[in-house]
Amino acid sequence: MFGSGGAIISMTMKKIGLILLMTGLLSIIFLMALYPEAALQSALRGLAIWWDVLFPSLFPFFVISEVLLGFGVVHLVGTLLDPMMKPLFRIPGSGGFVAAMGYVSGYPVGAKLTAKLWEQKMVTRDEGERLVAFTTSSDPIFLIGAVSVGFFHNPRIGLILALAHYGGGLLVGLLMRFHGRKEFTANIKHEGPRQHSRFKAAIYAMHAARKADGRAFGILLKQAVESSLHLIIVVGGLVVFFSVFLELWTQAGAIPALNHVVNALLSFAGVPEQLTTALVGGIFEVTLGTRYAGTAGDGIPLPYKAAAAAFALSWGGLSVHAQIASILNSTNLRYLPFMVARLVHGFIAAAAVLLLWEPVMGGTAASFAVPAVSYLSSTGYTQVMAFFCILLGSIIGMMLLAEAIYLLRRKSRNFPR
């Protein structure tokens, strides 16, 4: 009885969602005819954000993650981290690789790698939903360079934003361990003799995965570039779409009306009303939300502005949500748990900023203000990216060396004496 009722409610919600989607798309077409100049300029702004910021910062990580997957590094990391990840987050050890890449690379890398693990049957649906819920985060370069230095003109803000954002993400991961039914964890199956050393078992798992993949390095790199180009183009299209969407609805008066509603809610909660624009912008696009938070009026206390930026970073914006939904569409992972986790992460991060402000920042934050700079042109960004590329190259080199040593040892054992 309840099952049939739930199915009817689900079908009704889908129909309502489809009607709202079609209404929104038709309204955009109508508004594009009314405001063609605004539509063109907003599309160019979205394209500039994609080309100048997202493409150079995300595309290399997409390609590198695909190559690392082909080399079996996920299996290596998964075997090493399995004893820690299962008790804490109820996900296999391979989730540690996804978490590391997701936190370093930013959204939507965590979702992309989770989908890859699901395709390789290394995670179940519940495990994948837990994993993507807390590995979708902002990258440190954007958080420190763009938000702290570029928007707030204060590098010290990056410290508390990082603590609130990444600490809140790990806390969401601990909360998500209660998501889903209790079931057997998807394990990586290893063939061959039992290894007494976990590191040896990890090396063997990497070699077995590389052998099972079987693609030559040239083919692996070519396919990694092709799939990464496809994904980065989808990301760019969504960024342009939401840029046009926001501008047209602003011209039509819908966004200002939403600002009034949020303004009333903020005044009721005792939050400065001047943060309305930042919160509304952050609901749709993370860059807009953090920029509006950083450039809000001088009369707003800095902790409140930082809390608004932390909420926008952790929620991610509907633009990022659309990117995640497009990636999860090829799997059986559901979007709703991800959306709830993002909302919880946003409130946790905002509360963490307010609670930790005095012990972490004290009264010294204002003395570190610096002029606005472009984080893409800053030497810090270049140095961090160079260091990260060298580190990844070293990891790949060590993995190849370890695999070569393993093969030589096997051949020497089989060589007739």
Side-chain angles (χ1 to χ4, degrees):
M1 177 178 177
F2 291 102
S4 60
I8 293 174
I9 293 175
S10 177
M11 290 295 294
T12 304
M13 292 298 294
K14 288 182 178 179
K15 290 180 179 178
I16 293 175
L18 181 61
I19 292 173
L20 292 176
L21 177 63
M22 294 302 298
T23 303
L25 292 176
L26 290 174
S27 69
I28 292 176
I29 294 174
F30 177 73
L31 291 173
M32 287 180 67
L34 286 179
Y35 307 104
E37 183 65 24
L40 177 61
Q41 294 302 321
S42 59
L44 291 175
R45 283 196 301 271
L47 187 62
I49 292 173
W50 175 73
W51 181 251
D52 294 336
V53 178
L54 298 180
F55 191 94
S57 62
L58 289 180
F59 182 71
F61 288 106
F62 287 166
V63 176
I64 291 170
S65 62
E66 287 276 354
V67 173
L68 292 178
L69 282 167
F71 273 118
V73 176
V74 175
H75 294 73
L76 174 96
V77 176
T79 305
L80 293 175
L81 296 182
D82 201 55
M84 181 186 70
M85 301 300 290
K86 282 183 179 178
L88 289 177
F89 305 110
R90 284 182 64 199
I91 57 176
S94 54
F97 174 82
V98 177
M101 291 297 293
Y103 284 169
V104 170
S105 311
Y107 13 69
V109 173
K112 175 180 180 292
L113 293 178
T114 302
K116 287 292 182 181
L117 294 188
W118 180 86
E119 290 174 4
Q120 297 180 7
K121 303 187 184 302
M122 296 177 65
V123 294
T124 63
R125 184 176 78 167
D126 287 340
E127 290 168 348
E129 289 172 354
R130 295 183 201 118
L131 185 57
V132 75
F134 82 96
T135 58
T136 301
S137 67
S138 170
D139 64 278
I141 303 302
F142 176 76
L143 187 149
I144 297 172
V147 179
S148 303
V149 178
F151 299 154
F152 280 87
H153 316 321
N154 193 332
R156 287 268 296 174
I157 297 293
L159 174 61
I160 194 165
L161 286 180
L163 289 174
H165 181 61
Y166 297 117
L170 293 176
L171 185 57
V172 168
L174 294 175
L175 294 175
M176 286 297 292
R177 75 183 309 276
F178 301 104
H179 165 71
R181 298 170 297 177
K182 291 185 178 181
E183 55 188 9
F184 292 105
T185 304
N187 293 315
I188 306 170
K189 297 182 179 180
H190 307 303
E191 299 176 356
R194 181 180 179 86
Q195 303 285 349
H196 297 287
S197 168
R198 180 162 294 276
F199 182 74
K200 289 182 179 178
I203 294 294
Y204 181 84
M206 184 191 73
H207 170 72
R210 176 66 181 137
K211 186 177 179 181
D213 184 274
R215 289 176 291 176
F217 178 73
I219 297 176
L220 176 63
L221 183 61
K222 173 178 173 291
Q223 293 179 352
V225 172
E226 289 176 348
S227 63
S228 300
L229 274 175
H230 174 75
L231 180 58
I232 199 66
I233 289 173
V234 171
V235 170
L238 289 170
V239 169
V240 172
F241 172 80
F242 273 92
S243 177
V244 174
F245 174 85
L246 278 175
E247 179 62 28
L248 291 178
W249 275 37
T250 301
Q251 294 285 340
I255 300 299
L258 182 60
N259 285 341
H260 287 300
V261 175
V262 175
N263 193 10
L265 294 175
L266 290 180
S267 61
F268 180 77
V271 179
E273 299 177 1
Q274 295 90 334
L275 291 175
T276 299
T277 305
L279 292 175
V280 172
I283 290 174
F284 291 97
E285 219 287 314
V286 61
T287 307
L288 290 176
T290 52
R291 186 179 68 185
Y292 292 155
T295 57
D298 295 334
I300 304 176
L302 189 56
Y304 284 105
K305 295 198 288 186
F311 177 85
L313 286 168
S314 302
W315 164 251
L318 292 180
S319 177
V320 170
H321 283 234
Q323 298 170 29
I324 303 300
S326 68
I327 294 172
L328 299 183
N329 187 52
S330 61
T331 70
N332 69 344
L333 306 184
R334 295 166 294 186
Y335 166 73
L336 184 60
F338 169 81
M339 186 190 71
V340 174
R342 290 298 91 218
L343 189 61
V344 172
H345 189 189
F347 285 117
I348 289 176
V353 168
L354 297 176
L355 291 174
L356 297 176
W357 184 269
E358 191 62 31
V360 174
M361 304 298 292
T364 61
S367 62
F368 285 86
V370 297
V373 295
S374 171
Y375 82 101
L376 281 177
S377 61
S378 64
T379 56
Y381 175 83
T382 306
Q383 291 171 357
V384 171
M385 288 299 296
F387 172 77
F388 186 71
C389 291
I390 293 172
L391 179 62
L392 283 178
S394 302
I395 292 174
I396 294 174
M398 287 190 295
M399 295 303 103
L400 290 173
L401 180 61
E403 185 175 0
I405 293 173
Y406 179 86
L407 292 174
L408 288 174
R409 288 183 63 183
R410 288 192 61 182
K411 289 183 178 180
S412 63
R413 290 174 183 173
N414 297 330
F415 190 79
R417 296 174 183 258

